[in-house]
Amino acid sequence: MKLDAIFISGRTVNQGVNLENKSSTAYFDAAGYCEMNSTDAGKISTDPGNNVKVTTDFGNVVVPMRICEGNPDGLIFIPMGPWANAVASPDTAGCGMPGFKGLPATVESTDEKAPTMPELMARLK
Amino acid sequence: MSELLIKNAVVYDPINKVNGEKMDIAVKDGKIVDSIGNGADVIDAAGRLVYPGGVDAHTHIAGSKVNIGRIMRPDDSRLNNKPRTKITRPYTGYTVPNVYAMGYGYAEMGYTTAFEAAIPILKARHTHEEFEEIPIIDKGGLTLFSSNWMVMDAIREDDLDRVAAYVAWGLEASRGWGVKIVNPGGGEAWGFGKNVAGLDDPVPNFEVTPRQIIRYLAEANEKLNLPHSIHLHCNNLGKPGNYTTTLETFDICKDIKPKRDRQAVHLTHIQFNSWGGNHWGDMESKGDEIAKYMNKNDHLTIDMGQLVFGSATTMTADGPVQYANAKLLKARWANGDVELEDASGVTPLSYHPESYIHGIMWAIGLELALLTEDPWKVLMTTDHPNGGPYVNYPDVVTLLMSKKKREEAMAKIADLTFERTSIATIDRELDWYDIAIKTRSAHSKILGMVEYGKGHLGVGADADIAIYDLKPDETDSTIEYEKVKAALRRAAYTIKDGAIVVKDGEITATPMGRTYWVKSTAPSDAHDRMMADLKMKFKNYYSVNFANYMVQDEYVHNPVIEECGYA
Amino acid sequence: MLIKDVICPFCGCLCDDLAVEVENNKVIDVKHACKIGAAKIRGHNRIEAPMMRESKTDEFREVSYDEAINEAARILVDSKRPLMYGWASCLCEMMKKGVLLAEEVGGILDNTASVCHGPSALGVQEKGIPTGTLGQFANRADVVIFWGCNPVQAHPRHMSRYSVFAKGFFTNKGRKDRKIVVVDVRKTDTAEMADEYVQVNPGEDYKLLAAFRAAVADKADVIPDTVAGVSKEKIVELAAAMKGAKYGIVYFGMGVTQTRCKYKNIDIAVSLTTDLNAYTKFSIIPMRGHYNVTGAGQVFAWETGYVNGIDMSRGVPYYNPGETCSNDMLMREELDSAFVIGGDAGAHFPAQSIARMAKIPVIQVDPFHNPTTEMANIVIPVKVSGVELAGTAYRMDSVCLRMRKLVDVDFPSDEEVLDKILAKVKEIKGVS
């Protein structure tokens, strides 16, 4: 079962705390996850801590799922950083700014492993 | 150090009463000297016009307002572009040039000193950051005290010495040269979107009037024995009918006794404050009324704030005026409230000769300069870049020197202008001596910079010299205005501290100039009262800590410090 | 030794009231800072020495500073289109050197605003910006709107120092004197403490702002029953609250700049703010991320006339966002090297852009190992500005402050590295 969602990224305190500590597991914990509300989590039959795969027109990424009841139905959030960027759009619509928010995405439960930061970057080389 | 001899110069040096005398000028170690040896470098001026380096006592060249102008106006930055050379960095911008073009542009016209007219204390570090990057010219700045809570609270408690103590502290904190007052009280009222209507309209929540702010600051200025007088942008700027406020403001400082040989008050860009009528429809010039006052009184000086047709970027600490401009013109509007201190605004606009309002403004600036008999009382400025960019000074000079040039300009200006102004009836044409006064000597005198060797060529003065490719004996400035303009726009030589920085209108060297500021002191009991209040305000109301507020020495390059205080 | 009045080098708040305990040249305690600022000042594992590698899949080998700097200079001189990106974690003194280097090598200067508040600059170019200093808002604002920003997470002390809880001259009851409105696509922690939370549909901020403009202009009749997920009643009610403010302030973040319509959202948000000034006093201000990203815009503007995306290849600055910003240049595969300093392109550009960066030589100047390091060929470690080096930074409201030095380290500063690269570039080019 895949959930159709809108993807956004954004800042968090812990992502900030580890902004200069990006090769640590703490950074992965701070920026490598996907938030959705429990209704949406139920739709794809996943529990907090289990991995989900997020796919957009621009790529896909596997990260652990977390619940955030502040998200409305169909809105998923990944903290700004390499995991979010794996699915972000490079199209600037002619104004310099890529697409980090508001992209149509699908989310599904997965057994695939979430990549570490170096693994994620290695995919791009 | 080097020696330089300028031979066969036709010199106009009004401070030393030299009027077109053919003479040699000797330079040693960056100063004017009596004579030098035979080994000196020689420039043969060959009868060409020689002036002291130009001094601009009122211009907006650096700081947060100028930079928001640049940020808002990439359209402007695309103008006047000149790629980098081995000597110069790239030039960008017309009304809001980048820091390099700012310095080069002045130097190319033979100017060697410019004073930034508005430094908010909280943002003074920014102003000095830009000063540090503006090449060649010497700089100073005027610090804003117009709507400052420290000033207004001390005035309400009738504590003049505390006002003075704060002014001394504020000048040091901002590394400023003088006291600037913009729409006194209006900045605080603008904090809640209001303005003050006139000199006796109390500032909301502070119970002091603009008149009191002016009066107390003028007295504090003299108590501190400052080199410059208070420098005042009147209330009600940019409103038809405002000349009555202006005339009333003139009177406020009539009995102030200056401690130095200068005016008691300088009133800036008075063109914008010499408007008659009741609304835009019946707006007319009252430049003649202002000039009449100037001719009868000796306690004040003014500058023109001449309008130049074309693009301008208006920028001022007068927040409400900029909102009004932007609303009227549907223009871009940047506002910049400064906590506890002042307001500001920036609005790009364009002046059109087809508009009689702009025509009247254009005429008023010229009326002020031409109808005021004493040339020392009216400086030539455009309030750069409010009336227009400073690179147009040569054009303004030709308007002052040539009736024919004015007639040529008037032919393109809306007819109604000439029913509402007297410009068409004025025959006066200024000469080279008058122009020297209006573009350098009077600027220096009014700022208190004569003793620092600015605006003149007497022995001991800074060897800041402009040589123009123009022979006064052979040039009829009343007719050959195109030639005059071209010569003034690109100096044959600009010499700064004895070194050639411009030759044939091109930059040849880019030394860094000085920054002038004033360290003044008030009696210690007043200082202590002031500090108690200041510390309280930092604790409760400022968003920065006291320890991080004052501009540090690191930001003031080549400082020259005037030390003065209670005499 | 307790160093007082320390200015925090993390975010655009530049909180200047920190106290840092230093013993034996080590930071042992950070007082008054938020969790993020404290973490930055306490420090992290850093890159110990310069490193180089031929291929990005090789292991790095340690090299001398001279070797790394000389190779960096060679790459820059050999490049036709070098990108020089970052700058937001640099002090202003370094940015000036960066502009000079970009002029010398004909590079493209871009800063992190490109992926942050670059659209805000475009909005300012369209409509201006009525704004002020943070203390003005603290002293006066009784209606506070956070639109597409989440200070609880991104600017943790903003609310206590400037915007919500701060007590000021006309707001001496602090929080009680203010009405707090949060507009966001999800109920953030900031929204949790608001008086009003307005949930806007993702990508529909422009519509909602347009509806507010209509309501403010008393033209509610043209507003549909629901706009962007918000009821007409709520829009009309909030517009009245805005007009009824004594002083209103809009703080906005990347929820507005990065979503659909991008700079047009800023354009209309500024227009709404300007409209409101016909009724009361209203200001608007972007919530800037990096502590000195505002300074990067300021320095670039006074040096070149433009804030970011500045192409120096013509000898005179050329600016055309959408053409000359980093991601556009990367996606066109126009760049032939990248010099990354004081900003982490690797972590904050879309993966597809980074994949382009993987194909060109990358030089990184940074104290810390990060995703850009993974893409780099040359890594030059430097001091942490604002902790190990004093210098100038601009707060989000463009108030300029001098950062303090807290401890001494042996690493060179960014400025020293830039000076040496510049000298080497000139040597290679044979210019003085």
Side-chain angles (χ1 to χ4, degrees):
Chain A
M1 165 76 194
K2 286 186 185 178
L3 173 74
D4 287 324
I6 296 290
F7 153 82
I8 64 167
S9 63
R11 295 279 310 277
T12 78
V13 165
N14 284 334
Q15 168 264 336
V17 165
N18 291 290
L19 205 57
E20 294 178 337
N21 193 29
K22 291 189 187 115
S23 43
S24 66
T25 54
Y27 183 57
F28 173 81
D29 292 342
Y33 64 86
C34 174
E35 279 182 354
M36 64 190 73
N37 69 26
S38 52
T39 314
D40 284 345
K43 286 181 191 162
I44 54 168
S45 311
T46 187
D47 291 316
N50 290 349
N51 285 353
V52 292
K53 185 176 198 171
V54 179
T55 306
T56 67
D57 286 347
F58 310 97
N60 65 71
V61 69
V62 174
V63 283
M65 192 277 287
R66 290 188 194 174
I67 298 293
C68 174
E69 300 297 4
N71 286 15
D73 292 349
L75 189 91
I76 60 168
F77 170 89
I78 305 178
M80 71 182 267
W83 293 272
N85 290 337
V87 297
S89 162
D91 180 11
T92 77
C95 78
M97 170 64 83
F100 294 110
K101 291 185 197 286
L103 299 175
T106 59
V107 197
E108 61 196 305
S109 180
T110 182
D111 295 330
E112 289 176 46
K113 190 175 153 292
T116 63
M117 184 277 280
E119 285 166 357
L120 202 50
M121 302 312 287
R123 287 192 349 198
L124 305 174
K125 293 184 194 177
Chain B
M1 255 189 78
S2 62
E3 295 184 339
L4 177 68
L5 184 67
I6 302 168
K7 285 168 58 178
N8 304 315
V10 174
V11 177
Y12 295 84
D13 177 10
I15 284 173
N16 295 300
K17 300 193 169 53
V18 177
N19 186 357
E21 199 177 311
K22 196 161 195 175
M23 59 194 281
D24 297 348
I25 298 172
V27 174
K28 187 177 181 182
D29 296 340
K31 303 281 181 194
I32 307 286
V33 292
D34 264 331
S35 62
I36 43 169
N38 293 329
D41 293 336
V42 175
I43 295 174
D44 187 355
R48 287 181 290 182
L49 172 68
V50 173
Y51 273 172
V55 179
D56 196 342
H58 188 107
T59 177
H60 297 277
I61 55 172
S64 53
K65 288 192 305 297
V66 180
N67 221 30
I68 191 67
R70 297 183 186 110
I71 290 168
M72 267 167 96
R73 298 205 64 183
D75 49 317
D76 191 82
S77 295
R78 286 197 173 162
L79 305 173
N80 273 17
N81 285 1
K82 202 169 161 186
R84 78 195 296 260
T85 66
K86 280 181 183 160
I87 296 163
T88 53
R89 307 284 297 270
Y91 291 59
T92 62
Y94 171 60
T95 69
V96 279
N98 65 340
V99 283
Y100 305 111
M102 195 74 85
Y104 303 149
Y106 268 114
E108 286 165 4
M109 301 193 309
Y111 273 70
T112 48
T113 305
F115 273 60
E116 162 58 45
I119 305 181
I121 311 176
L122 178 61
K123 293 189 163 186
R125 207 171 283 98
H126 179 163
T127 307
H128 289 281
E129 280 237 283
E130 290 193 34
F131 274 1
E132 188 184 330
E133 297 288 301
I134 298 174
I136 303 176
I137 58 174
D138 288 336
K139 287 142 287 202
L142 307 177
T143 304
L144 288 160
F145 291 97
S146 356
S147 284
N148 189 296
W149 291 6
M150 287 293 296
V151 170
M152 291 191 294
D153 284 348
I155 291 173
R156 195 178 55 250
E157 290 161 32
D158 191 24
D159 192 344
L160 175 61
D161 287 337
R162 198 170 105 207
V163 173
Y166 179 72
V167 168
W169 187 84
L171 287 173
E172 181 170 2
S174 60
R175 302 297 203 252
W177 180 257
V179 175
K180 178 73 184 298
I181 310 171
V182 174
N183 183 14
E188 170 52 36
W190 184 240
F192 285 119
K194 305 280 194 295
N195 198 356
V196 288
L199 287 163
D200 299 307
D201 184 16
V203 181
N205 304 303
F206 284 83
E207 298 157 37
V208 299
T209 63
R211 182 187 301 278
Q212 287 176 297
I213 295 171
I214 295 166
R215 183 73 203 186
Y216 275 79
L217 285 170
E219 289 183 24
N221 196 87
E222 299 315 321
K223 286 217 165 215
L224 293 169
N225 194 24
L226 300 180
H228 185 35
S229 66
I230 59 165
H231 192 115
L232 178 55
H233 157 140
C234 296
N235 299 101
N236 288 329
L237 179 142
K239 291 180 192 158
N242 62 14
Y243 81 106
T244 53
T245 304
T246 307
L247 290 172
E248 261 187 272
T249 307
F250 286 178
D251 273 340
I252 293 176
C253 296
K254 208 166 180 174
D255 63 335
I256 295 284
K257 296 277 166 281
K259 281 267 175 57
R260 301 195 181 198
D261 175 23
R262 56 151 168 77
Q263 72 289 351
V265 56
H266 178 77
L267 296 114
T268 192
H269 44 65
I270 284 300
Q271 176 270 118
F272 293 102
N273 288 79
S274 306
W275 299 0
N278 299 302
H279 50 77
W280 296 113
D282 67 357
M283 176 188 167
E284 60 177 344
S285 166
K286 289 290 178 184
D288 52 347
E289 294 289 327
I290 301 293
K292 209 178 286 173
Y293 187 101
M294 296 302 295
N295 288 334
K296 281 191 201 141
N297 292 279
D298 293 324
H299 68 282
L300 76 170
T301 54
I302 61 175
D303 62 87
M304 292 162 68
Q306 177 61 27
L307 179 144
V308 178
F309 293 113
S311 179
T313 300
T314 60
M315 52 179 67
T316 168
D318 198 338
V321 154
Q322 292 297 45
Y323 173 68
N325 274 341
K327 201 173 179 197
L328 183 71
L329 301 166
K330 302 211 181 326
R332 288 172 273 181
W333 175 48
N335 180 66
D337 290 354
V338 181
E339 63 202 59
L340 288 84
E341 295 179 8
D342 232 303
S344 75
V346 181
T347 292
L349 49 77
S350 202
Y351 297 117
H352 303 283
E354 303 81 13
S355 154
Y356 68 86
I357 291 168
H358 295 162
I360 292 169
M361 292 167 69
W362 175 87
I364 293 173
L366 297 171
E367 287 175 344
L368 293 167
L370 295 169
L371 296 176
T372 303
E373 286 153 22
D374 181 355
W376 292 90
K377 287 183 178 172
V378 188
L379 303 179
M380 192 213 72
T381 65
T382 60
D383 185 19
H384 165 87
N386 284 290
Y390 71 76
V391 290
N392 296 290
Y393 287 172
D395 201 51
V396 179
V397 167
T398 59
L399 289 166
L400 294 173
M401 296 188 91
S402 166
K403 182 163 197 233
K404 185 159 178 272
K405 163 82 177 180
R406 292 198 292 271
E407 282 166 352
E408 185 193 273
M410 284 188 275
K412 295 177 191 152
I413 295 172
D415 291 343
L416 203 51
T417 301
F418 310 105
E419 293 172 24
R420 307 275 183 90
T421 70
S422 60
I423 188 65
T425 67
I426 299 173
D427 295 325
R428 188 176 177 193
E429 294 176 318
L430 301 186
D431 63 19
W432 290 112
Y433 193 72
D434 296 327
I435 296 300
I437 293 168
K438 288 190 172 313
T439 59
R440 43 265 289 160
S441 305
H443 289 255
S444 175
K445 176 129 193 304
I446 284 167
L447 284 170
M449 292 297 290
V450 174
E451 61 193 90
Y452 288 87
K454 296 301 179 194
H456 71 107
L457 296 172
V459 168
D462 285 350
D464 296 352
I465 305 163
I467 306 176
Y468 296 104
D469 190 12
L470 194 104
K471 294 181 179 170
D473 303 349
E474 299 172 13
T475 310
D476 183 348
S477 58
T478 66
I479 296 167
E480 295 175 274
Y481 43 81
E482 289 302 332
K483 191 173 154 190
V484 169
K485 184 173 150 184
L488 296 183
R489 178 66 188 85
R490 303 224 167 253
Y493 288 91
T494 304
I495 293 160
K496 174 74 173 49
D497 295 317
I500 296 169
V501 293
V502 171
K503 187 167 186 303
D504 300 330
E506 298 291 329
I507 303 290
T508 56
T510 62
M512 283 312 296
R514 308 175 188 86
T515 297
Y516 293 86
W517 66 277
V518 170
K519 193 169 195 163
S520 188
T521 48
S524 63
D525 59 325
H527 178 79
D528 293 347
R529 288 200 301 282
M530 182 278 290
M531 284 308 282
D533 188 28
L534 187 61
K535 290 276 176 72
M536 183 281 286
K537 287 190 166 67
F538 270 95
K539 184 166 179 288
N540 294 327
Y541 308 128
Y542 266 110
S543 66
V544 298
N545 276 5
F546 182 78
N548 292 318
Y549 182 82
M550 190 178 272
V551 172
Q552 293 88 349
D553 289 339
E554 284 86 346
Y555 295 90
V556 191
H557 291 239
N558 304 329
V560 179
I561 307 168
E562 153 100 23
E563 299 206 26
C564 56
Y566 272 50
Chain C
M1 180 181 54
L2 187 68
I3 306 175
K4 289 185 179 167
D5 304 301
V6 170
I7 302 171
C8 179
F10 184 79
C11 84
C13 287
L14 286 189
C15 300
D16 74 332
D17 61 341
L18 277 54
V20 178
E21 189 71 46
V22 173
E23 263 178 33
N24 300 323
N25 204 32
K26 292 265 180 282
V27 172
I28 57 165
D29 194 16
V30 182
K31 296 184 168 73
H32 314 314
C34 70
K35 199 173 157 187
I36 310 178
K40 168 139 189 190
I41 294 167
R42 282 170 184 280
H44 300 284
N45 288 336
R46 62 199 295 164
I47 301 165
E48 295 293 340
M51 307 184 293
M52 282 173 39
R53 60 183 173 185
E54 284 296 311
S55 158
K56 295 180 203 292
T57 52
D58 293 347
E59 291 293 309
F60 278 111
R61 63 187 169 92
E62 234 178 70
V63 297
S64 68
Y65 272 97
D66 281 349
E67 188 178 351
I69 283 167
N70 290 349
E71 181 61 9
R74 189 196 60 76
I75 290 172
L76 289 173
V77 171
D78 286 350
S79 302
K80 284 200 174 67
R81 301 295 272 156
L83 171 68
M84 304 178 69
Y85 172 82
W87 307 106
S89 287
C90 292
L91 299 167
C92 294
E93 290 77 0
M94 300 157 187
M95 299 167 189
K96 296 175 194 173
K97 291 285 163 60
V99 175
L100 194 53
L101 180 58
E103 280 177 25
E104 198 63 54
V105 301
I108 293 96
L109 265 179
D110 197 15
N111 56 53
T112 62
S114 216
V115 291
C116 187
H117 276 287
S120 304
L122 302 189
V124 170
Q125 291 162 12
E126 294 283 318
K127 291 287 156 62
I129 182 163
T131 189
T133 63
L134 293 169
Q136 182 81 336
F137 315 143
N139 282 307
R140 296 180 199 261
D142 59 340
V143 171
V144 178
I145 301 169
F146 293 103
W147 196 307
C149 61
N150 187 8
V152 170
Q153 298 287 335
H155 301 89
R157 296 186 72 215
H158 190 277
M159 291 175 295
S160 60
R161 279 178 61 81
Y162 310 121
S163 53
V164 177
F165 305 106
K167 292 178 179 173
F169 189 81
F170 298 103
T171 52
N172 56 19
K173 295 201 205 70
R175 174 71 180 86
K176 287 187 192 138
D177 275 337
R178 307 184 207 272
K179 180 182 180 75
I180 310 294
V181 180
V182 171
V183 184
D184 211 315
V185 295
R186 60 188 192 118
K187 196 164 192 188
T188 61
D189 297 319
T190 305
E192 293 285 355
M193 41 120 277
D195 298 305
E196 295 273 358
Y197 167 54
V198 178
Q199 189 168 301
V200 58
N201 291 339
E204 298 189 0
D205 302 73
Y206 190 95
K207 282 189 204 168
L208 185 57
L209 285 157
F212 274 124
R213 285 193 76 189
V216 165
D218 293 326
K219 301 221 161 40
D221 54 313
V222 303
I223 302 173
D225 290 344
T226 307
V227 178
V230 183
S231 74
K232 175 178 175 174
E233 288 68 33
K234 182 54 77 182
I235 291 165
V236 170
E237 178 196 321
L238 285 173
M242 291 177 200
K243 286 165 82 169
K246 278 193 293 191
Y247 194 118
I249 172 70
V250 182
Y251 297 100
F252 69 97
M254 285 178 272
V256 197
T257 65
Q258 293 183 336
T259 197
R260 188 166 64 191
C261 298
K262 296 175 181 172
Y263 77 96
K264 281 289 179 189
N265 294 324
I266 315 309
D267 175 323
I268 195 165
V270 169
S271 296
L272 171 63
T273 308
T274 301
D275 292 348
L276 283 160
N277 278 277
Y279 306 95
T280 180
K281 188 68 182 290
F282 238 89
S283 290
I284 182 166
I285 183 170
M287 300 282 269
R288 306 305 300 270
H290 284 84
Y291 77 92
N292 201 20
V293 64
T294 305
Q298 294 284 348
V299 174
F300 287 1
W302 78 56
E303 299 265 323
T304 73
Y306 310 109
V307 288
N308 70 335
I310 306 150
D311 180 354
M312 293 291 197
S313 65
R314 292 158 170 81
V316 71
Y318 170 79
Y319 164 76
N320 188 23
E323 179 193 352
T324 55
C325 287
S326 302
N327 282 279
D328 302 287
M329 306 243 6
L330 282 165
M331 292 308 291
R332 285 202 311 276
E333 305 204 59
E334 190 170 322
L335 301 169
D336 53 2
S337 71
F339 179 88
V340 183
I341 180 169
D344 184 1
H348 298 133
F349 285 1
Q352 291 194 7
S353 299
I354 300 303
R356 269 43 173 208
M357 197 179 265
K359 297 180 186 171
I360 57 176
V362 172
I363 303 154
Q364 181 188 29
V365 179
D366 204 291
F368 303 108
H369 186 113
N370 61 34
T372 300
T373 319
E374 299 290 325
M375 291 295 154
N377 300 80
I378 304 177
V379 180
I380 305 174
V382 286
K383 285 187 165 84
V384 180
S385 296
V387 177
E388 299 163 354
L389 187 71
T392 313
Y394 285 72
R395 204 165 68 178
M396 62 169 72
D397 57 353
S398 302
V399 167
C400 171
L401 294 169
R402 184 166 183 79
M403 312 295 290
R404 286 165 198 271
K405 184 177 80 168
L406 307 175
V407 292
D408 280 307
V409 292
D410 288 335
F411 292 97
S413 69
D414 306 49
E415 194 177 359
E416 289 167 79
V417 169
L418 287 163
D419 275 338
K420 285 186 173 169
I421 294 175
L422 188 60
K424 190 70 193 175
V425 162
K426 286 180 170 180
E427 186 191 314
I428 297 169
K429 288 174 69 184
V431 296
S432 54

